[in-house]
Amino acid sequence: MVTIPVGELRVQSRPNPGQAWLADLFTSLPALADNSVLAAQQQRCRQALAGEALPSRRQEAWRFTDTSAITAIPAQPLPRQAAAALPAPPANVLRLVLAGSGDPLQGVVLPVGLERLEAGALEALFGEALEANGAAAAWPVRLNGAVAGQVLALRVRQPVPTLLELVSDTGDAAGVQGLRLLLVLDPGASLEVLEVHRARGANLTSVVLEARLGRGARLRHGLLAQGQSPQPAVAERPTAACAAPVLLHHLAAVQDPDSELELIAAVAGWGLARLEPLVLQRSGAASTRLRGLQRVDGSQVVDTHSRVLFAGPDGRLDQVHKALADGSGRSVFNGAVVVPRQAQRTDAAQLSRSLLLSDRARIDTKPELEIVADDVKCAHGATVSRLQQNELFYLQSRGIAADQAARLLLRGFCEEVLAELPAPSALWQPLALLMGEEPAP
Amino acid sequence: MIRPDAPVLLEICDLRASVEEQPILKGVNLTLRAGEIHAVMGRNGSGKSTLSKVLAGHPAYRVTGGSVLYRGDDLLALQPEQRARIGLFLGFQYPVEIPGVSNLEFLRVATNARRLEQGLEELDTFAFEDLVRERLQVVQMDPAFLERSVNEGFSGGEKKRNEILQMALLQPLVAILDETDSGLDIDALRIVAGGVNQLASADNATLLITHYQRLLDVITPDYVHVMAAGRILRTGGKELALELEERGYDWVDVEIERLEASELEALAAAQGSRTPAEVG
Amino acid sequence: MTAAATVGDLVSQPYKYGFVTDIETEKIAKGLSEDVVRLISAKKDEPAFLLDFRLRAYQQWLKMDEPDWASIGHAPIDYQNIIYYAAPKQQAKKASLDEVDPKLLETFEKLGIPLSEQKRLSNVAVDAVFDSVSIATTYKEKLAEHGVIFCSISEAVKDHAELIERYLGTVVPSNDNYFSALNSAVFSDGSFVFIPKGVACPMDLSTYFRINSGDTGQFERTLIVAEEGASVSYLEGCTAPMFDTNQLHAAVVELVALDDASIKYSTVQNWYAGDENGVGGIYNFVTKRGQCRGDRSHISWTQVETGSAITWKYPSCVLQGADSVGEFYSVALTNNHQQADTGTKMFHIGPRTRSTIVSKGISAGHSSNSYRGLVQMGPKAVGARNYSQCDSMLIGDQAAANTYPYIRSQQPDASIEHEASTCRISADQLFYLQSRGIGFEEAVSMMVSGFCRDVFNQLPLEFAAEADKLLALKLEGSVG
């Protein structure tokens, strides 16, 4: 709370709803009392947030993103609830259920090559990738720091043949949960991860995932974020009674040379989802592959803000981001690629393709290329349109009805990204979600 | 055509050159007189392409020893563009694409730079169009290529024809054609070779760099040089090329090994005879 | 010797327009206040509506902040340390050129813009602006025969007040941004063009801006109106002497195109850019906007930006009329320590509106060159189309090329396509040209102008050649 000196002629500003919301949240969520890295972080973040409002559109990074969905979520910790019924994992998949509290590794036998990160390493590496990506002070990161009570930290020692599935299902519970993850891949190690988030109630899931890839390491990370918002007719303006779920997902990766990182994200159904994948190629010479697919409908907002920084030569980036905007939804993509002087021979390509499916929906796309090195190949492209009329016509001329033809084309548009998710993702029926259809029972 | 009294156009003497500190040319000797056609043959990595680049003045190659005289003057002291203006031409193995720069404009600027050097007057756009249309015949090239950007989107054969067109416009005294036959089908090869033959005269000399006999079936060389490990190992008439075709290059390896062994010995002997003070 | 290794030796070609004309100038005291605004208006003997316009803008300006979002940096500008009005000491406008101070005529002649009857350009009418006032306008009578009005904006305020009142500030409202507010409060002179219904302007029109004083800001104002079916091609040129201080140039240009009208606006901007260490040069903070008010109207911006220490400029089109067309063709070259943040905004409001953006940025030396653009499809822009292409060429590894294309769409039946690429002049390309007898510098300038060809093709013929030469000159010594 800012105190105004007595006698000074200033009108006290109205209490910021964001600040009040945060204050309530922190009151209802007792601070950690131990001397862990989490507790130290929590204190820092709560302090930093106390004086700060919610991100507003006056900030360039939030210019197109309405954050009012956040304060519509009850400012309380997510109540502990019975484990949701989840489809059984396929063979060769290790499932860890994340709930923001309790140890997800409790009673779990980890496969060879995958182990709990030792305490000393956790101490040393916690927050490092965020710091390196310049993201430690980002609002979603601070919020996560202020609420997360548990960190899942894993070390990958060698190639792990088992897929690691991380699942959080908040169901229709009301409140806020913070999930914190840290993956450390030793040189030459490899891991495939599928992170699944499901929510349908007035709850907010905040995720911060840090990943360190040693020399020659490989990480393939699929993110499937399935929200279910109340029907648009009910929720023109989000209120606590019918608030749609919120996802704030922040991923900070640091890559050593010869490492390969693949991030494949498919997001739909959230009142507000903000994804911030940040990648630093610490000495260049690594390979980064980003695939994104997002869909908005009703009054939903999905915003992806990606940033890839090449801090050394010979780095590669291959990025494709796709968006579908229906209803009165709002889709935002901001993709920054930064190529400083030392990043000679960088080869970076970024493509953004958006389909606008309704005349009440909106799409905002902003690629950002910042280049100082001269011997680089950097190309980007962006298109916004509706479905290609000639493609539609072609299908129709073969006897396919217009709406069916449109669905076929949309399906193709989505499949291009979904096909890259780790195979066990099929269990969660990502296509139905992206197509705005009810998943099959 | 060999005429012992013909003027010497190019005299390469013990030429040594390296790229990125790696010695590639290790003492090349070669003399080109007016009217002669020379062929330099050799395996990949023998240094033949390096020789052509060094002669044209490519900035990535560093001359570490020897000399090259062009009509009696030091060639190596000149910038690449000066070499071109006084009549040295390199036909590239991989002609570079230059988007945005019109081929016609490029040819005109290059031709005028050469003409200026020769004391001729510059051609205006109209006069040049006439000239270039006439020279297009040499390589049977479609005038449409003039309107495109330099080599951009040209097929391999079209690029090589564009090289010979440039040669026809610049009228060099010494033309070095680096693997001009590579990537050409038989028809394109005939057209390109026909162009080279038309342009060869008693006043100029041609240096063909190739590793196949098939180019030499259509352009008859006066001399054939075999290059290996950065030097010219053997020189003969056109029959040497046939011999190479028949015997392959394996014998070259044997000879090189022998040569390098004897050089090492000589080097060791020379060092051994020095006093310690000299070595220090 | 690779191109990359040899780049960086930056010796800029001396700026050949950097001389100062020694002429007696009437200046008002430094600083900005309501009184200064009133004084400027009084000096120009303006009608009440214009004084009101200025005062309103001044009040708005006081409440605004300088924009900070562009990729540019400079020491804070002290707006109280600028002279807001400077004019050569003579009567503002002479009946005939014979009465104009010969020094001024000489100055323009030296700049390649002869004004006297015998020498003037045969196919272009020129309005010459020196510091805050217009010196002379050629071919006025001939244009008048066609009903075309081409004069300084000060004259227009007197002779065509109704047109000024009707159109001034309708495209760029004075509170549009910080610099447009400043300009609206203190603008001194500039050009006014009016092409009446159905008239195709018989010759190109051109304004040449010359900043001469070292401590004066230049705030010119240009207004071009093309009525139904009218068309005009307008050129703008600018230079300034070399000073080791920075001068502020904050112009506003407004274009209005009614049904079926067409305006082509070309700029070759060569303000003094500062020296090779970044000392001195013009701060060019300009608001240019055209409004395609009428159906099927057409506005085309072509700019070649080579000068100024800092350029902050986004010539834009508001595509209101159905089937209207906006175009933006730009070459921006920065060298040494220049900074450019430039691009365009295309607001698609009407149905089936179309826009094309071609931007070529060349960054050399320690400069920074940013393309910043906005393409916005409004809810009614059914069937609208945009195509944008932004290419950057980097010369040397100390220069920055940034691209920030904002794309917004609210209309499913509109399509936006954006492409961007980055390239450099490769050592192999240079060698290839050299090996054909083309000198190093000429090879570079050939490739640079090849890179810019799509834009140069849009310039009027004489300007295209000029622009080509200008680029070659600016780059001299930056490669090699």
Side-chain angles (χ1 to χ4, degrees), chain B residues 57-59 80-81 84-85 89-90 92 96-98 100-102 106 109-110 113 151 163 166, chain C residues 1-2 426-429 431-440 442 446-447 449-451 453:
Chain B
H58 194 289
E81 61 268 31
R85 288 173 193 166
F89 179 87
L90 170 63
F92 283 64
V96 179
E97 300 193 6
I98 308 178
V101 175
S102 120
F106 157 67
V109 173
N151 293 327
E163 293 292 290
Q166 291 165 40
Chain C
M1 184 188 73
T2 65
S426 79
D428 281 338
Q429 290 173 325
F431 177 66
Y432 187 74
L433 292 179
Q434 280 183 285
S435 75
R436 295 299 176 257
I438 298 166
F440 190 82
E442 193 179 359
M446 251 176 125
M447 279 188 280
S449 66
F451 175 72
R453 185 140 61 140

Side-chain angles (χ1 to χ4, degrees), chain A residues 185-208:
Chain A
L185 280 80
D186 286 348
S190 70
L191 181 68
E192 205 176 3
V193 178
L194 177 64
E195 184 185 340
V196 180
H197 294 280
R198 302 220 290 183
R200 28 172 216 283
N203 55 57
L204 181 152
T205 299
S206 154
V207 185
V208 167

Side-chain angles (χ1 to χ4, degrees), chain C residues 199-346:
Chain C
V199 172
C201 188
M203 60 195 340
D204 287 359
L205 307 182
S206 169
T207 302
Y208 195 93
F209 295 101
R210 174 72 179 170
I211 294 180
N212 193 59
S213 312
D215 43 9
T216 308
Q218 184 155 352
F219 306 94
E220 86 266 358
R221 185 100 194 178
T222 297
L223 173 60
I224 300 178
V225 178
E227 284 196 330
E228 292 84 351
S231 66
V232 63
S233 166
Y234 178 91
L235 327 170
E236 176 199 290
C238 16
T239 56
M242 300 192 284
F243 294 111
D244 54 11
T245 52
N246 301 104
Q247 288 95 58
L248 178 63
H249 172 253
V252 170
V253 175
E254 297 177 280
L255 314 181
V256 178
L258 303 185
D259 286 357
D260 300 293
S262 148
I263 302 175
K264 187 175 170 72
Y265 192 108
S266 313
T267 308
V268 174
Q269 187 260 109
N270 187 21
W271 296 116
Y272 177 52
D275 68 9
E276 66 274 20
N277 299 314
V279 176
I282 303 284
Y283 289 171
N284 191 34
F285 300 155
V286 171
T287 307
K288 290 184 166 175
R289 191 172 306 154
Q291 194 170 29
C292 284
R293 238 172 246 191
D295 293 351
R296 297 167 303 279
S297 54
H298 186 156
I299 289 180
S300 174
W301 297 101
T302 303
Q303 60 172 22
V304 177
E305 302 283 314
T306 64
S308 297
I310 304 178
T311 299
W312 178 99
K313 179 179 167 188
Y314 316 91
S316 306
C317 297
V318 180
L319 302 169
Q320 210 168 353
D323 300 288
S324 59
V325 176
E327 291 171 323
F328 176 75
Y329 297 96
S330 169
V331 165
L333 180 147
T334 54
N335 198 354
N336 297 320
H337 291 268
Q338 277 177 277
Q339 307 171 51
D341 195 296
T342 184
T344 185
K345 295 185 244 180
M346 293 288 175

Side-chain angles (χ1 to χ4, degrees), chain A residues 60 63 330 341 356 359 362-372 374-375 378-384 386, chain C residues 396-397 399-422 424:
Chain A
E60 179 69 22
R63 191 165 153 182
R330 234 180 139 146
R341 192 186 321 153
L356 192 49
D359 50 14
R362 261 184 181 223
I363 284 176
D364 283 294
T365 292
K366 188 183 151 215
E368 279 185 31
L369 254 70
E370 299 188 348
I371 301 169
V372 180
D374 59 342
D375 186 8
C378 288
H380 68 160
T383 60
V384 180
R386 65 164 159 190
Chain C
D397 63 357
N402 305 322
T403 315
Y404 308 103
Y406 291 69
I407 296 169
R408 322 189 65 184
S409 184
Q410 290 175 266
Q411 170 47 251
D413 191 16
S415 85
I416 303 175
E417 223 176 299
H418 171 95
E419 280 180 78
S421 74
T422 302
R424 66 164 188 160

Side-chain angles (χ1 to χ4, degrees), chain A residues 92-344:
Chain A
N92 215 24
V93 169
L94 170 68
R95 175 176 294 168
L96 300 180
V97 176
L98 308 175
S101 54
D103 183 0
L105 292 179
Q106 191 77 56
V108 172
V109 182
L110 289 170
V112 177
L114 193 60
E115 45 196 67
R116 190 192 288 268
L117 189 68
E118 47 307 357
L122 175 63
E123 196 88 24
L125 299 174
F126 187 81
E128 193 208 42
L130 287 171
E131 202 65 57
N133 276 290
W139 192 87
V141 172
R142 282 193 169 151
L143 178 71
N144 182 274
V147 300
Q150 177 66 43
V151 57
L152 172 62
L154 295 169
R155 182 185 286 280
V156 189
R157 290 228 178 258
Q158 63 192 62
V160 175
T162 310
L163 177 114
L164 178 64
E165 191 185 61
L166 305 170
V167 182
S168 145
D169 188 340
T170 54
D172 46 18
V176 177
Q177 74 165 345
L179 306 176
R180 182 69 185 239
L181 304 135
L182 172 59
L183 295 173
V184 178
L185 280 80
D186 286 348
S190 70
L191 181 68
E192 205 176 3
V193 178
L194 177 64
E195 184 185 340
V196 180
H197 294 280
R198 302 220 290 183
R200 28 172 216 283
N203 55 57
L204 181 152
T205 299
S206 154
V207 185
V208 167
L209 192 162
E210 291 183 274
R212 284 188 82 272
L213 281 74
R215 189 175 276 275
R218 289 194 55 194
L219 174 62
R220 205 162 116 82
H221 186 101
L223 168 64
L224 186 54
Q226 305 178 307
Q228 245 178 293
S229 305
Q231 285 311 299
V234 191
E236 270 309 316
R237 228 32 243 146
T239 60
C242 61
V246 175
L247 174 69
L248 301 174
H249 191 281
H250 194 102
L251 188 153
V254 175
Q255 290 188 258
D256 278 347
D258 302 320
S259 65
E260 290 175 33
L261 173 64
E262 265 187 279
L263 301 176
I264 305 120
V267 188
W270 303 82
L272 167 66
R274 165 98 169 186
L275 269 56
E276 301 181 351
L278 305 182
V279 179
L280 168 68
Q281 292 197 2
R282 175 153 57 182
S283 313
S287 154
T288 307
R289 198 152 182 283
L290 303 179
R291 291 291 180 272
L293 174 62
Q294 63 193 41
R295 178 180 204 274
V296 287
D297 200 344
S299 54
Q300 297 162 356
V301 181
V302 180
D303 173 356
T304 297
H305 261 67
S306 71
R307 182 166 181 270
V308 179
L309 168 61
F310 297 90
D314 300 299
R316 289 186 309 284
L317 166 69
D318 169 8
Q319 179 173 21
V320 176
H321 190 268
K322 292 186 165 191
L324 290 166
D326 208 341
S328 309
R330 234 180 139 146
S331 168
V332 181
F333 170 63
N334 189 109
V337 177
V338 186
V339 185
R341 192 186 321 153
Q342 66 270 30
Q344 291 291 3

Side-chain angles (χ1 to χ4, degrees), chain C residues 166-211:
Chain C
R166 188 182 328 156
Y167 289 109
L168 190 76
T170 60
V171 182
V172 179
S174 50
N175 63 352
D176 184 79
N177 66 69
Y178 188 78
F179 298 111
S180 68
L182 178 63
N183 173 286
S184 300
V186 302
F187 73 87
S188 38
D189 217 338
S191 301
F192 173 66
V193 175
F194 178 81
I195 317 287
K197 200 169 172 171
V199 172
C201 188
M203 60 195 340
D204 287 359
L205 307 182
S206 169
T207 302
Y208 195 93
F209 295 101
R210 174 72 179 170
I211 294 180

